[in-house]
Amino acid sequence: MVAHKPEGTQRHIEAISHLTKELSISIRHPRKVFRPLPFFYPTRAVFVEDASFEGERLQRATSAHWSSRASRKNRYSRRPIRLTKASIPRDGTKSGIESPQKRLLLIEQRVRHSGSQFRVHLTWDISFWVAVIFVLGSTVWIVNGFFLFLPLVNIGSNDFPASAWTAFVGGTLFEVGSYLMYVEALNAGHEELFGPALRGLLGHANRTVSTDALPDSDSANAEKGSTGSGCGDRHGDSGGRRRLKFRWIGIGSWRELGFLACFIQMLAATIFWVSTITGLPNVISGLPEDPPTAITDVFYWSPQVVGGWGFIISSVLLMIEVQRKWWLPNLRSMGWHIGLWNLVGAIGFTLCGALGYASLASSGANYESILATFWGSWAFLIGSVIQLWETLWRETESGVPLKQKE
């Protein structure tokens, strides 16, 4: 973030407004900052209007709300913000009030203000595809559950190849969806580049995309609410254009709950995916009737348990991300309910592997192991459908309420 002197502020405001063709907001430093876990960056912030600056280009907002998840999921429109710099007490709850002659910070950020309205947007970005792939993957896992569970209740016959291959397809879809979650978190702040980067990955050698002013792709602070890319960085290039690279692999900030959760999710999905490969016909000799116990436990059941625990940790972190305190549930957030249902599904998949160790020796353990996969898959599907619904409902374009749009 770049700080500018008051005398040059109007010039930069006009430059941003012309560059983005959006209205800007004049707000104070966060009145409230929510950090559910002490080590990590804040995940939510509430801004209040700064009445000491006025101008015809400014859109007055009584409050503006920032959320790391909503920002990552591209639910709010990006708008230029003229942010009054004020000190934040060490407790991080309220900002002091300074005189009108104060430094200003110019940032672009995804915030929701009091006039924001949401409607259904079918946007083909990475957040949409994450939700769609998880819906498909959960559906395949439900089909797999039917193949395994129905023979236990004397409906149909046991079809091991069908159950093994549906598990492999479901695990592969979860792996792809988890990887896209990681890419989404890694590129938070310029997710608009997903489409061009995907086309470049498939058909072009050059993966860099020239686009209008967007946050710095290498800035770890691009979407943290109280920090962001300054306009001064963008005007250094000719014509106000930069060449930004959409990153398909890399490391973000370990202090961001969203990135950490997505990274753990990807690792867990990769480990779990191993069990869907070793579970294919003829990979482990004698599976499922009489396989070697040691090999089966290490390469088939253990990846399910370890991967399932990773899913549990990731789901808990994603729930905490949208909470004001780590112990206080946020029942009004769709993100929280998504994390809750994914947690239920993760517990089911973990129990499947844990009970699987005894499945050959105990018919009861085998029954409960298969049943855990079945209800766990349904839980994942519910969470994925909510996530798809969350992705579809976004703020109206440019953040202007519908009643103000022609």
Side-chain angles (χ1 to χ4, degrees), residues 29-67:
H29 218 316
R31 181 184 62 184
K32 294 182 180 179
V33 174
F34 301 100
R35 190 194 306 263
L37 294 177
F39 173 75
F40 296 92
Y41 290 125
T43 58
R44 295 162 62 91
V46 179
F47 300 85
V48 292
E49 178 190 32
D50 185 359
S52 59
F53 297 96
E54 296 182 355
E56 60 182 3
R57 292 181 178 272
L58 298 180
Q59 180 178 340
R60 303 295 294 275
T62 56
S63 65
H65 298 259
W66 174 83
S67 163

Side-chain angles (χ1 to χ4, degrees), residues 174-238:
F174 269 28
E175 171 71 5
V176 173
S178 299
Y179 169 70
L180 290 181
M181 278 183 63
Y182 154 78
V183 173
E184 176 189 48
L186 185 64
N187 292 277
H190 60 275
E191 61 287 318
E192 293 89 346
L193 296 181
F194 172 67
L198 181 60
R199 291 192 294 270
L201 184 65
L202 296 176
H204 303 283
N206 183 9
R207 300 183 187 178
T208 59
V209 181
S210 178
T211 184
D212 288 338
L214 293 171
D216 188 350
S217 62
D218 295 326
S219 173
N221 298 324
E223 290 283 352
K224 290 186 177 63
S226 60
T227 60
S229 301
C231 66
D233 293 336
R234 300 186 183 92
H235 294 291
D237 293 336
S238 176

